[in-house]
Amino acid sequence: MDVNSIAKLSNLTLTDSQQKIFAPQFAETLKYVDLINQLDTSNIVPTSQVTGLINVFHDDVIDNTRLLQAPKINRGYYVK
Amino acid sequence: MLNNSTIVDALAGLRSGKFSAVELTQSCLNQIQKHNPKIHAFLTINEQALTQAKQADLSKPLGGIPIAVKDNFLTMGLPTTASSRVLEGYLPPYESTVTQKLRSSGAIIIGKTNMDAWAHGSSTETSDFGTTLNPWNIDYLPGGSSGGSTAAVAADMCLGAIGSETAGSIRQPASWCGVTGFKPTYGRVSRYGVIAMASSTDSPGPITKTIEDAALLLSVIAGHDPHDATSSPNPIPDFKNLKLKNKNLKIAFPKEYLDVIQPEIKSQILAAVKKLEDLGHTVEETSLIHPKYSIGVYTILQRSEVSSNLSRYDGIRFGHDRSYFAEEAKRRIMLGTYALSSGYYDQYYNKAQKVRTLIINDFNQAFNRYDLIINPSSPSTALKVGATENAAMFGEMQDILVEPSSIAGLTGISLPCGFANGLPIGFGLVGPQFSEELVLQVAHQFQENTDYHLKRPTTNIK
């Protein structure tokens, strides 16, 4: 793994010591992760979520009742 | 002392006028003042606690009861940091559904508890604000990531607490701290307003001194939430009904789990199994996919989801910038980014999701034959402070026993079953999705016939 390019993709800056220690740590982690390739998953459908729920919708209505009521507001938007 | 009480007993005492909510809250605050400087379970104490206690409505389900809340639950008016410097001083503009429900049921949120930063760990040692210490022996860790909550309950600083579990973060620290920790089915309790770790497994849940208290807290916080699209529309049964109807359940004991358990706790785990048999249940050895594969699956899925969830912390709209992330957060974000990146997505993330299906199918097959599965929470008792240093995947390795059930979104419990070298051991049960009643009932039966959960470390807190 190219630690510097992944840091860039992750929008993170690494210290000098982190740059040194991360590469072998990632290698160790990925070696453990590679164990999953021992299992046969041909014809298995991936599971991304376990609820079985699909198409959970609600009406597009703004509800401010549970939001902070007293901050600075400019044209309906909170101001930091 | 009032803070030593259970929630159920305290409710009775309050309602019969034996003591006031102010006295009860003050008792907890005194305990916090006495021991928190050493134990460091709490990051923030609610300065309005006594005022709120004065106005407590004793007719409400948790009226006047002081509850601690893990610091990844957004609480308006109380800083919420997920134990990270990125969110140091952050005051949320909205309330999590869980804490909203606690407030509406009359509970006093006494403070926010310490955790592994962003819940990335199984020790609480990766907190950016210093680790929590185990009340049973302060040379040891409380476990994590809900270590502040479990330590607070074990040390009687509150009557109960709220934690969250992505893979073991309720059950494992509960076992290290000798308290009861319950992980509801994924989707049973709303994640709205919980700082997300792995969105497909995060499960808020109660941490208490007894099963009765856990069932009561669960009945307050569970339920469908329109703000959480993954929350279950399944109706909520009466969790407080702990009478077990079927006295002869078929319970599986996976031999792969027994392999992973350290020798020091084996005899107590087997004694707990024997206790279930003495109570009339049938325990049979079975075989499940070895949990070592769950480590890889969980590491990839969780770190991938973490990399996505933590991308919102840009320091522009709120919080500090990304240079405030500590080492473990950076490691997890980067591995997740890598696993999701072009050229690696199929090899890692997609493959992990397929193995997830295998694990789910494996459990489904087991639950066709068995009512429950025995599932100890941790391979060992608590580890010493410093144990997580230089460990690239400490958390994921520690949680080997609880990752399979978390990946599958099942429900599970950890309850005290003994001690080794003065440190608590956690026994566990796992049930199919939405079988909370059965898990709680069997756990309650176990607690009615043992007294491990009544032990307290008060003499050891120096």
Side-chain angles (χ1 to χ4, degrees):
Chain A
M1 188 212 282
D2 181 348
V3 166
N4 287 320
S5 79
I6 295 296
K8 188 156 183 241
L9 271 183
S10 312
N11 192 10
L12 291 169
T13 330
L14 302 184
T15 64
D16 288 336
S17 80
Q18 285 166 354
Q19 276 181 20
K20 283 202 197 79
I21 63 174
F22 275 7
Q25 285 178 341
F26 286 138
E28 189 191 321
T29 304
L30 289 173
K31 218 169 53 188
Y32 218 93
V33 164
D34 278 333
L35 278 183
I36 67 178
N37 289 313
Q38 290 174 1
L39 297 176
D40 180 10
T41 55
S42 38
N43 302 319
I44 298 291
V45 176
T47 298
S48 59
Q49 55 104 342
V50 299
T51 65
L53 298 169
I54 54 173
N55 294 343
V56 179
F57 295 127
H58 65 77
D59 293 336
D60 186 13
V61 170
I62 295 176
D63 175 9
N64 282 332
T65 56
R66 280 174 57 176
L67 301 180
L68 196 61
Q69 296 301 316
K72 305 186 188 73
I73 294 181
N74 185 348
R75 288 185 286 155
Y77 298 101
Y78 290 125
V79 175
K80 185 177 174 181
Chain B
M1 292 206 298
L2 297 179
N3 60 297
N4 292 348
S5 175
T6 63
I7 297 176
V8 167
D9 287 347
L11 284 170
L14 287 168
R15 288 165 182 170
S16 66
K18 272 211 196 82
F19 46 83
S20 70
V22 171
E23 286 170 308
L24 177 61
T25 300
Q26 186 65 66
S27 175
C28 291
L29 289 171
N30 291 346
Q31 185 76 344
I32 292 170
Q33 190 174 46
K34 199 167 161 206
H35 295 293
N36 198 56
K38 186 103 246 175
I39 301 288
H40 195 45
F42 284 90
L43 294 178
T44 302
I45 306 298
N46 177 10
E47 306 196 341
Q48 303 301 311
L50 285 174
T51 313
Q52 289 166 3
K54 217 171 283 172
Q55 299 158 350
D57 181 347
L58 301 185
S59 68
K60 294 213 171 116
L62 291 175
I65 301 294
I67 302 285
V69 173
K70 187 177 179 182
D71 208 27
N72 58 347
F73 286 79
L74 265 54
T75 44
M76 279 167 66
L78 290 175
T80 302
T81 68
S83 287
S84 169
R85 293 218 178 275
V86 173
L87 291 179
E88 190 165 11
Y90 174 69
L91 286 172
Y94 69 101
E95 189 83 17
S96 73
T97 294
V98 164
T99 53
Q100 181 64 55
K101 287 187 171 199
L102 287 176
R103 294 187 203 267
S104 306
S105 63
I108 316 284
I109 295 176
I110 200 161
K112 307 300 291 299
T113 56
N114 200 14
M115 51 187 283
D116 284 291
W118 307 107
H120 295 170
S122 307
S123 63
T124 306
E125 199 163 43
T126 67
S127 166
D128 285 359
F129 305 120
T131 188
T132 299
L133 301 178
N134 193 317
W136 292 88
N137 184 329
I138 56 173
D139 291 334
Y140 289 80
L141 296 164
S145 58
S146 308
S149 282
T150 54
V153 172
D156 289 310
M157 294 180 185
C158 56
L159 300 204
I162 298 294
S164 68
E165 173 158 338
T166 307
S169 289
I170 289 177
R171 291 179 281 169
Q172 185 254 30
S175 92
W176 284 16
C177 287
V179 295
T180 295
F182 186 66
K183 180 207 171 291
T185 305
Y186 175 80
R188 197 50 121 169
V189 180
S190 171
R191 293 180 301 110
Y192 181 71
V194 183
I195 294 175
M197 182 188 173
S199 307
S200 74
T201 74
D202 288 351
S203 303
I207 292 163
T208 55
K209 304 177 192 182
T210 66
I211 294 294
E212 278 183 303
D213 285 358
L216 177 55
L217 269 187
L218 182 67
S219 67
V220 167
I221 64 175
H224 179 250
D225 181 11
H227 292 287
D228 175 358
T230 61
S231 84
S232 168
N234 284 13
I236 301 295
D238 181 14
F239 295 123
K240 300 193 296 298
N241 178 3
L242 294 169
K243 259 199 186 52
L244 183 61
K245 272 185 269 177
N246 181 353
K247 303 289 181 145
N248 182 1
L249 295 169
K250 280 193 76 186
I251 304 180
F253 195 178
K255 60 172 157 38
E256 291 82 6
Y257 291 7
L258 191 57
D259 282 343
V260 171
I261 291 168
Q262 297 295 311
E264 66 190 5
I265 70 170
K266 218 169 226 170
S267 61
Q268 293 283 46
I269 296 292
L270 291 175
V273 173
K274 173 100 190 2
K275 178 58 92 178
L276 288 179
E277 289 176 314
D278 292 343
L279 291 171
H281 304 298
T282 308
V283 179
E284 250 175 50
E285 188 182 86
T286 191
S287 181
L288 292 179
I289 295 176
H290 200 288
K292 68 180 178 186
Y293 297 111
S294 294
I295 297 181
V297 171
Y298 173 68
T299 299
I300 288 299
L301 292 181
Q302 168 252 130
R303 293 192 182 202
S304 299
E305 293 177 19
V306 157
S307 74
S308 172
N309 282 325
L310 267 53
S311 65
R312 76 194 65 189
Y313 300 102
D314 48 25
I316 296 170
R317 295 158 296 156
F318 56 88
H320 300 285
D321 64 62
R322 293 170 80 76
S323 69
Y324 284 71
F325 277 127
E327 207 164 273
E328 184 65 16
K330 286 187 184 176
R331 256 197 293 268
R332 295 203 183 198
I333 291 168
M334 287 176 65
L335 194 91
T337 302
Y338 177 69
L340 292 173
S341 65
S342 169
Y344 295 102
Y345 179 95
D346 269 315
Q347 178 183 349
Y348 291 116
Y349 191 68
N350 212 18
K351 178 74 183 184
Q353 289 201 55
K354 290 181 181 177
V355 179
R356 183 180 203 171
T357 304
L358 290 182
I359 292 169
I360 291 170
N361 292 346
D362 196 36
F363 275 121
N364 286 343
Q365 278 178 27
F367 287 126
N368 278 337
R369 301 188 328 266
Y370 300 100
D371 299 296
L372 294 172
I373 294 173
I374 288 172
N375 197 160
S377 323
S378 171
S380 67
T381 52
L383 297 180
K384 273 199 160 164
V385 172
T388 66
E389 276 158 40
N390 301 318
M393 33 186 319
F394 176 86
E396 287 108 341
M397 299 292 287
Q398 269 306 306
D399 289 327
I400 181 173
L401 287 170
V402 285
E403 278 155 1
S405 53
S406 296
I407 289 165
L410 307 179
T411 179
I413 196 155
S414 180
L415 46 160
C417 72
F419 298 86
N421 299 320
L423 291 167
I425 301 169
F427 182 61
L429 293 164
V430 152
Q433 288 180 308
F434 305 110
S435 67
E436 286 87 359
E437 294 163 282
L438 188 62
V439 173
L440 287 168
Q441 284 163 5
V442 176
H444 182 59
Q445 191 192 30
F446 182 87
Q447 278 192 351
E448 282 191 308
N449 288 279
T450 57
D451 66 353
Y452 304 113
H453 59 289
L454 298 175
K455 309 264 188 250
R456 282 285 166 275
T458 43
T459 51
N460 286 346
I461 305 176
K462 297 278 185 294

